[in-house]
């Protein structure tokens, strides 16, 4: 079996951007894009804030990137990875279907998934008024009434974002107290366009072909709110289970790269690791030599297609330099 230069795991904005650079550098990368491929961009409708693209469907943007990566010599495989062995100098990546790849370097770009409430009506109306990203989709709700579900920093930040477009924003939270930081709470509670509905569990997203409202369960009984859009902001989960016992992850499962490790140390959120050292010359390096991380599986702050693409590029440049140094 040949040993490849680099295997990229994940076919979203981060993985594809890394592939474009590595392909162009002549390193013939293998991109294991998963099934279905494309990451969170496949779940958004229109993208209007990816630099250079005035307006493009998320799926189309992925398609263009895939063609660009292939044109520069990337082999794209739309299958899921079943297991990895990353500790030894030659790393092994195994597809769920059994095919194995030996490689010098690995870029982990597996992304994150927005958590959903898990209601059938929510699934049915996703992309038809139900969204998990106010920055992406808020624009489509100019002068409309929308609701945001959740009580953490993401929910309150998204509620404030939505006030720039919507005429009225409900924040619907399952408890009587927010989890978010005090400053965000103050901003939300003082905002004239925002109304909080406390102690409310969402029972159903109403509407046949598009969102028309929400049915809520409150201590006072069932309540219906008329709405044009519903934004779910109850957290994200990085797709990193595959790597759990091999590279350092933070408490929530995000990949710790040198850059994230340094940031977390500055905020005293992680102890000095006893098992690994991080190399400051490679910002996207994980706790293992030759293994890099990029995109939403690393970043829980910015979470944009363009920032994921940027980090993918960083990881590709780091991997290229690292391969040369070996
Ligand atoms: P989070 O802090 O875990 O909050 C999730 C919220 O969703 C909680 O209020 C939770 O309710 C609610 N929730 C969870 N599951 C639910 C369900 N099934 N139905 C209804 N509500 C549900 O997540 P996050 O807001 O995404 O933040 C993640 C991390 O990023 C946090 O550490 C946060 O501080 C940070 N962050 C920071 C900023 C910033 O500083 N600008 C911005 C965004 C995020 P309960 O409260 O009842 O559990």
């Amino acid at each position: 079996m040949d040993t490849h230069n680099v295997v990229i795991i994940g076919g979203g904005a981060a993985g594809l951007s890394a592939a474009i650079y590595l392909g162009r550098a002549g390193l013939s990368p293998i991109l294991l894009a998963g099934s279905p491929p494309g990451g969170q961009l496949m779940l958004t409708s229109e993208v209007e804030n990816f630099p250079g693209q005035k307006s493009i469907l998320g799926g189309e943007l992925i398609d263009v990137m895939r063609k660009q990566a292939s044109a520069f010599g990337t082999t794209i495989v739309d299958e899921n990875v079943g297991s990895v062995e990353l500790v030894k100098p030659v790393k092994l990546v195994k597809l769920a279907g059994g095919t194995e790849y030996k490689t010098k370097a690995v870029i982990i770009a597996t992304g994150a998934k927005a958590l959903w409430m898990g209601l059938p009506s929510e699934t049915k109306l996703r992309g038809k008024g139900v969204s998990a990203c106010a920055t992406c989709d808020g624009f489509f709700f100019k002068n409309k009434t929308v609701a945001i579900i959740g009580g953490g920093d993401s929910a309150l930040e998204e509620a404030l974002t939505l006030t720039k477009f919507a005429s009225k924003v409900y924040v619907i939270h399952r408890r009587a107290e927010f989890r978010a930081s005090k400053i965000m709470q103050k901003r939300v509670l003082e905002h004239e366009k925002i109304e909080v509905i406390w102690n409310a569990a969402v029972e159903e997203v109403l509407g046949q072909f598009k969102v028309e409202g929400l049915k809520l369960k409150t201590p006072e009984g069932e309540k219906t709110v008329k709405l044009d859009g519903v934004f779910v902001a109850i957290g994200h989960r990085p797709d990193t289970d595959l790597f759990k016992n091999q590279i350092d992850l933070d408490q929530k499962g995000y990949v710790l790269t040198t850059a994230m490790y340094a940031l977390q140390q500055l905020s005293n959120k992680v102890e000095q690791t006893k098992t690994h050292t991080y190399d400051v010359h490679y910002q996207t390096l994980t706790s293992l030599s030759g293994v890099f991380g990029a995109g939403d599986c690393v970043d829980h702050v910015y979470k944009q297609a363009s920032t994921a693409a940027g980090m993918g590029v960083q990881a590709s440049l780091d991997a290229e330099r690292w391969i040369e140094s070996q």
Side-chain angles (χ1 to χ4, degrees):
M1 198 194 317
D2 290 344
T3 300
H4 297 281
N5 287 310
V6 50
V7 167
I8 302 160
I9 307 175
L16 285 164
S17 302
I20 290 165
Y21 268 69
L22 288 163
R24 203 159 172 275
L27 292 175
S28 312
I30 308 288
L31 181 102
L32 307 177
S35 169
Q40 291 191 80
L41 271 177
M42 301 303 283
L43 305 175
T44 11
S45 40
E46 237 165 299
V47 181
E48 296 181 319
N49 52 8
F50 196 86
Q53 296 288 348
K54 255 174 126 180
S55 169
I56 188 165
L57 294 174
E60 250 179 77
L61 182 56
I62 286 293
D63 192 45
V64 176
M65 288 192 201
R66 282 168 69 97
K67 288 191 174 122
Q68 199 176 355
S70 298
F72 286 128
T74 303
T75 304
I76 301 180
V77 183
D78 291 337
E79 281 186 52
N80 287 320
V81 173
S83 65
V84 293
E85 289 168 33
L86 302 176
V87 179
K88 291 188 190 143
V90 174
K91 292 140 197 359
L92 195 67
V93 180
K94 227 187 212 180
L95 294 181
T99 311
E100 291 185 355
Y101 297 90
K102 273 191 190 169
T103 179
K104 295 176 200 162
V106 170
I107 294 179
I108 299 172
T110 44
K113 285 196 175 79
L115 295 174
W116 298 94
M117 296 179 288
L119 303 167
S121 54
E122 170 196 48
T123 314
K124 184 180 84 179
L125 293 169
R126 238 190 255 172
K128 296 170 187 142
V130 173
S131 167
C133 180
T135 313
C136 323
D137 298 329
F139 183 78
F140 304 115
F141 294 89
K142 266 190 186 155
N143 302 318
K144 302 267 165 111
T145 303
V146 297
I148 185 110
I149 318 294
D153 277 316
S154 297
L156 301 201
E157 196 169 86
E158 302 233 315
L160 291 168
T161 301
L162 288 168
T163 60
K164 291 178 198 149
F165 310 105
S167 52
K168 168 104 190 172
V169 179
Y170 289 99
V171 174
I172 295 166
H173 185 36
R174 63 184 179 183
R175 292 189 293 138
E177 198 185 333
F178 283 136
R179 177 180 296 278
S181 54
K182 289 279 176 285
I183 180 148
M184 293 298 282
Q185 296 197 26
K186 187 168 183 290
R187 282 185 199 152
V188 160
L189 294 172
E190 286 174 358
H191 202 290
E192 55 180 10
K193 280 190 183 175
I194 299 179
E195 180 180 334
V196 182
I197 304 180
W198 302 103
N199 294 313
V202 178
E203 286 203 312
E204 194 184 341
V205 186
L206 303 170
Q208 189 56 27
F209 303 107
K210 64 178 183 61
V211 168
E212 286 167 15
L214 279 176
K215 197 205 279 177
L216 304 174
K217 193 174 156 197
T218 71
E220 297 83 45
E222 227 167 54
K223 185 172 173 169
T224 304
V225 191
K226 274 184 132 185
L227 296 165
D228 303 295
V230 173
F231 289 80
V232 181
I234 61 173
H236 280 80
R237 207 177 88 81
D239 268 339
T240 54
D241 288 352
L242 270 178
F243 315 106
K244 234 177 212 166
N245 300 314
Q246 302 187 50
I247 59 167
D248 286 350
L249 305 175
D250 75 4
Q251 286 137 338
K252 291 200 168 152
Y254 288 90
V255 174
L256 275 175
T257 57
T258 304
M260 292 311 276
Y261 180 70
L263 276 175
Q264 295 230 353
Q265 277 220 313
L266 276 176
S267 58
N268 294 323
K269 283 208 178 133
V270 288
E271 299 291 321
Q272 175 73 46
T273 168
K274 291 189 183 72
T275 46
H276 301 292
T277 50
Y278 290 80
D279 186 335
V280 294
H281 296 101
Y282 303 103
Q283 288 187 27
T284 64
L285 185 67
T286 67
S287 55
L288 276 184
S289 184
V291 182
F292 302 84
D296 285 6
C297 67
V298 175
D299 164 32
H300 46 81
V301 181
Y302 301 105
K303 301 184 282 194
Q304 303 301 301
S306 46
T307 52
M311 210 191 290
V313 173
Q314 288 180 312
S316 73
L317 296 172
D318 281 349
E320 188 186 346
R321 272 195 301 126
W322 180 85
I323 290 166
E324 274 167 17
S325 76
Q326 296 302 296

